[in-house]
Amino acid sequence: MKYLSFMLFVLYFSAAVYSQEIKIKSLEVYPRGDRLSLPVITSDNKLIIEFDVQSDFEPTLNIVFRFCDKGWAPTKNIFLLNQNRNQLLLFDFFRLPVTVEEAEYHFRGSFPDKDNYIELPFSGKWRFYITDQQDTSIVYAQGRFFVIDPEVKLSSSLTNDQLENKTYWPVELSKVFNITTDFYLPEEFYPGYVGRVEIIENLKIYYPVVINRNDNTLERQFKWDANRNFTYIARDILAGNEYRQVDLRDINYYTTKDVNARRDGLEFSRFYLKANPDLNGAKIYTNYKSPFATYLNVTFSIRPPDDVYGSIFIVGAFNNWKLSTEYQLVEDAGIYSITLNLKRGIYDYQYVVADVVNGEIVNADWVILEGNTWENSKVYDIFLYYNEPNDGGYERRSEERRVGKECRSRWSPYH
């Protein structure tokens, strides 16, 4: 019995010595040739995945690709698992310059990858997981992207409008956009399988505007001529404003590890201010080969107006525009602050006022601190879903893309 106890201790000690302490940082996912766009690819393009790794030694990682249903849940359909064609096992890492703190390695890969037998054969929503190579249940980071079949030509238009269901004060709160998407369904598709439309503003992948086929309200409408002409209408989309932006690339100003996002330290409401042009929600990192591509502790601070009630959160390109309690600002004497560890680069961001109930963020107000004006530039990605009956049934997606106040429309499949 004593011998058995000794052996167990040795095994445990050995595992502790060789376990990997790994942190994935500055994860980027984008279509090849366009770092500023939503990660959407076709058969003619590739997906780029890039990230830094903080690790004492070169890590042994794996990337697992999973096709998803309309709610981003990985499919359990055996016909869509893409087995033996969905994992990257061989990594080529670039050693970062010694001047870069808090990261040692960099990876850049393009997918699909024929050399490593990686395929992305189905049109729709996909997720990838960066995992331990020996145990894929250990997930260090993950991301989302779209694969599309541009077989249905969508025609989308955007118009300015105002909310009329009550009196708004300030009147700027009533400014909205209406987006109309029309298309003619080609003969090879069945009208009864046409599904919903999703609209993604800039890079807000977690907050799509959805128009279902059975919608018929003042805000969401579906029209069909019982033949092959379809129309989807989304009304009352808040106009918003340009984003705030921090540029950490200036090594003459940001000279230390701990810095303020703003030169004067404080930010204020921009509700009545016209903002400068932004990156439509994107970020631009300093080139990973640069000796200055290091990480800084960046403090964001805002003094909101006295009539703003609720908690304040920061959201932006550094957290994929997802509201999270992890990014809630801390209040001290009327000033709300948070410090983030960011790689040198440019980031779009904004402040959101919301409540926290039972650990969940509710009643999010995206415009009260930022403004709501028609005088801004946005990009809308508009996806059409089709209920593909083959391979056990899945969502097939199509899209057409436009930039700015026009629209970008896209297409795919349905679960």
Side-chain angles (χ1 to χ4, degrees):
M1 197 67 173
K2 291 183 179 179
Y3 175 76
L4 176 60
S5 299
F6 174 75
M7 288 300 295
L8 288 174
F9 173 77
V10 171
L11 289 173
Y12 174 79
F13 179 77
S14 176
V17 169
Y18 291 102
S19 64
Q20 298 186 85
E21 295 295 333
I22 291 173
K23 188 172 184 180
I24 303 299
K25 309 185 72 170
S26 304
L27 176 62
E28 284 188 280
V29 189
Y30 57 91
R32 183 176 56 187
D34 190 357
R35 291 184 109 98
L36 306 184
S37 286
L38 200 68
V40 180
I41 63 170
T42 68
S43 59
D44 297 327
N45 201 0
K46 288 197 173 187
L47 182 79
I48 305 298
I49 298 176
E50 282 195 71
F51 54 86
D52 289 346
V53 184
Q54 184 176 4
S55 176
D56 292 335
F57 52 90
E58 186 168 309
T60 54
L61 300 177
N62 189 17
I63 299 182
V64 181
F65 295 88
R66 295 292 304 276
F67 187 67
C68 299
D69 64 16
K70 62 183 179 182
W72 291 102
T75 182
K76 297 180 181 178
N77 184 339
I78 191 171
F79 300 106
L80 304 174
L81 290 179
N82 195 32
Q83 293 178 328
N84 302 320
R85 295 290 186 273
N86 67 341
Q87 295 190 47
L88 177 68
L89 297 173
L90 301 176
F91 282 73
D92 291 323
F93 288 102
F94 174 84
R95 184 79 189 209
L96 293 173
V98 294
T99 52
V100 175
E101 300 179 26
E102 300 186 54
E104 287 74 35
Y105 302 93
H106 185 84
F107 169 80
R108 183 183 188 276
S110 61
F111 307 94
D113 184 347
K114 293 182 179 179
D115 293 338
N116 289 297
Y117 306 103
I118 307 296
E119 297 179 353
L120 304 170
F122 307 113
S123 167
K125 294 179 176 179
W126 287 78
R127 298 179 72 167
F128 67 88
Y129 303 85
I130 304 172
T131 74
D132 182 88
Q133 193 172 97
Q134 304 301 321
D135 184 358
T136 56
S137 68
I138 302 174
V139 178
Y140 299 114
Q142 57 184 283
R144 304 182 178 196
F145 64 97
F146 303 88
V147 177
I148 65 166
D149 290 327
E151 297 181 84
V152 178
K153 176 67 175 179
L154 307 183
S155 177
S156 300
S157 61
L158 182 149
T159 57
N160 297 345
D161 200 358
Q162 287 186 297
L163 297 172
E164 299 177 349
N165 57 330
K166 65 179 182 179
T167 300
Y168 288 87
W169 183 259
V171 295
E172 284 79 6
L173 287 174
S174 68
K175 295 180 178 179
V176 293
F177 294 139
N178 298 334
I179 296 178
T180 300
T181 299
D182 301 290
F183 62 91
Y184 178 85
L185 192 68
E187 293 294 330
E188 59 268 29
F189 298 102
Y190 179 58
Y193 291 163
V194 172
R196 73 191 188 284
V197 158
E198 286 188 359
I199 302 172
I200 297 178
E201 177 187 295
N202 290 335
L203 301 179
K204 294 178 182 176
I205 197 170
Y206 291 94
Y207 306 102
V209 173
V210 180
I211 313 168
N212 291 302
R213 186 169 172 138
N214 59 353
D215 284 343
N216 188 20
T217 67
L218 292 176
E219 293 81 21
R220 307 287 180 263
Q221 293 182 6
F222 165 80
K223 298 179 181 180
W224 176 41
D225 69 349
N227 189 10
R228 294 188 171 274
N229 293 299
F230 292 80
T231 299
Y232 289 80
I233 302 172
R235 292 191 173 94
D236 299 348
I237 301 172
L238 284 174
N241 200 354
E242 301 281 14
Y243 297 126
R244 301 174 193 254
Q245 195 172 88
V246 59
D247 187 347
L248 303 172
R249 298 175 301 173
D250 189 344
I251 60 175
N252 295 315
Y253 175 73
Y254 296 105
T255 58
T256 62
K257 179 75 172 179
D258 301 310
V259 300
N260 291 319
R262 291 293 160 209
R263 293 175 187 267
D264 56 4
L266 277 181
E267 297 187 86
F268 302 90
S269 169
R270 301 184 309 154
F271 192 87
Y272 293 105
L273 300 178
K274 182 178 180 180
N276 295 322
D278 58 26
L279 298 174
N280 289 320
K283 59 181 175 284
I284 302 175
Y285 291 127
T286 298
N287 189 295
Y288 66 90
K289 295 182 180 180
S290 168
F292 301 106
T294 191
Y295 287 80
L296 307 178
N297 297 320
V298 186
T299 298
F300 296 82
S301 300
I302 184 171
R303 184 192 292 275
D306 292 336
D307 57 352
V308 171
Y309 301 99
S311 300
I312 298 179
F313 301 82
I314 193 169
V315 62
F318 39 72
N319 65 356
N320 294 317
W321 295 96
K322 185 178 182 182
L323 280 173
S324 168
T325 54
E326 182 182 351
Y327 290 85
Q328 181 175 347
L329 278 65
V330 176
E331 188 266 343
D332 182 16
I335 297 175
Y336 292 73
S337 300
I338 189 171
T339 299
L340 304 179
N341 187 245
L342 301 177
K343 186 174 182 174
R344 284 194 187 271
I346 308 174
Y347 300 84
D348 282 357
Y349 68 97
Q350 74 166 87
Y351 296 104
V352 177
V353 177
D355 299 316
V356 180
V357 178
N358 296 325
E360 298 292 328
I361 299 175
V362 298
N363 305 321
D365 190 328
W366 292 72
V367 301
I368 193 64
L369 290 176
E370 304 296 351
N372 193 55
T373 174
W374 293 317
E375 298 178 10
N376 68 83
S377 175
K378 292 182 182 296
V379 172
Y380 289 94
D381 288 285
I382 304 176
F383 296 88
L384 167 66
Y385 291 84
Y386 179 81
N387 300 294
E388 175 61 59
N390 296 324
D391 297 315
Y394 68 98
E395 276 192 323
R396 185 174 176 183
R397 167 170 306 169
S398 182
E399 69 111 37
E400 179 262 347
R401 229 169 97 160
R402 295 187 186 173
V403 179
K405 283 290 188 61
E406 300 172 8
C407 296
R408 308 204 296 187
S409 325
R410 307 185 181 244
W411 130 286
S412 188
Y414 188 99
H415 282 289

